[in-house]
Amino acid sequence: MTDDIHARLQGLVDANDVVLFMKGSPLFPQCGFSSRAIAILGHLSVAFESVDVLQDQGVRQGIKAFSDWPTIPQLYVKGEFVGGSDIMMEMFESGELQQLMEDKGVAQAA
């Protein structure tokens, strides 16, 4: 990963309370895992930024190195890597993801 890609990813993570690196957009997710991640965030009613990794190959490969996580989507909350859609689902079902959002003071969606 180049320094430019790393700086760009760090900037996105630092500038937003919740960032989802995904395939596609919230309105048109391009894989089932990204669709599930969007649904979970929708149920939590939190404001989030999404990044379509399909638009930039550097970001698509860079995010995997940045987080040391091999798959997409990837969720960051207040600068902290949370995990992919399976981890999001487990945390959502147990109430842990909602609690994390509350503990971190994540804003509700408008």
Side-chain angles (χ1 to χ4, degrees):
M1 168 175 38
T2 66
D3 289 344
D4 287 347
I5 294 290
H6 186 274
R8 186 167 159 209
L9 294 171
Q10 190 67 57
L12 287 164
V13 168
D14 291 346
N16 299 283
D17 284 354
V18 180
V19 183
L20 181 67
F21 292 89
M22 63 178 291
K23 293 178 181 176
S25 69
L27 292 177
F28 297 104
Q30 297 296 307
C31 78
F33 297 111
S34 291
S35 181
R36 179 165 53 172
I38 291 296
I40 291 168
L41 293 174
H43 282 297
L44 295 175
S45 298
V46 294
F48 68 95
E49 181 69 29
S50 66
V51 178
D52 181 359
V53 301
L54 300 177
Q55 298 299 314
D56 186 327
Q57 191 64 27
V59 169
R60 184 176 185 173
Q61 294 308 315
I63 193 61
K64 295 174 185 180
F66 184 80
S67 63
D68 195 26
W69 192 259
T71 60
I72 296 166
Q74 295 185 12
L75 179 68
Y76 284 80
V77 177
K78 294 280 187 161
E80 178 183 331
F81 176 62
V82 175
S85 67
D86 290 346
I87 291 171
M88 287 176 68
M89 183 58 106
E90 290 172 17
M91 290 177 71
F92 175 71
E93 288 173 343
S94 72
E96 191 178 351
L97 193 56
Q98 177 70 36
Q99 190 63 51
L100 175 68
M101 297 295 182
E102 291 173 10
D103 290 351
K104 297 278 189 177
V106 171
Q108 293 291 298

